[in-house]
Amino acid sequence: TAAASGDSQESARRGLEAAGFIPVPAAPGDLVFFSGTLDHLSLPNLSQKPRHTFQLHLVEGPGEGVTWSASNWLQYRAGRPFPSLRRD
């Protein structure tokens, strides 16, 4: 039931807060930035309305001494590096 799902989500929220996670309320249209080193998550959407997100991942790159891990979940096409946004 919806009530049981809400209770389960509330229990999950309390557990996450006890583990040190801090809620960041966001309204429709808000823009929220997180550093790639910050553990973050979203609880399940229990409403009948869809939740849309846009994610942009920026990495300094090898020119700045940063190497993208081959075990990272986000990978570009095999054998090709991510495109650069620099205007050299």
Side-chain angles (χ1 to χ4, degrees), residues 17-81:
E17 287 179 357
F21 282 83
I22 300 169
V24 180
D30 282 354
L31 178 63
V32 182
F33 286 92
F34 293 106
S35 165
T37 59
L38 177 69
D39 286 335
H40 56 279
L41 56 90
S42 294
L43 294 176
N45 180 11
L46 301 179
S47 78
Q48 295 300 310
K49 297 179 181 179
R51 179 191 300 165
H52 301 285
T53 65
F54 174 79
Q55 298 180 13
L56 178 63
H57 298 263
L58 301 174
V59 177
E60 290 85 353
E64 299 296 324
V66 177
T67 303
W68 195 256
S69 173
S71 65
N72 191 295
W73 68 270
L74 179 62
Q75 297 294 325
Y76 201 59
R77 297 179 203 145
R80 297 186 62 194

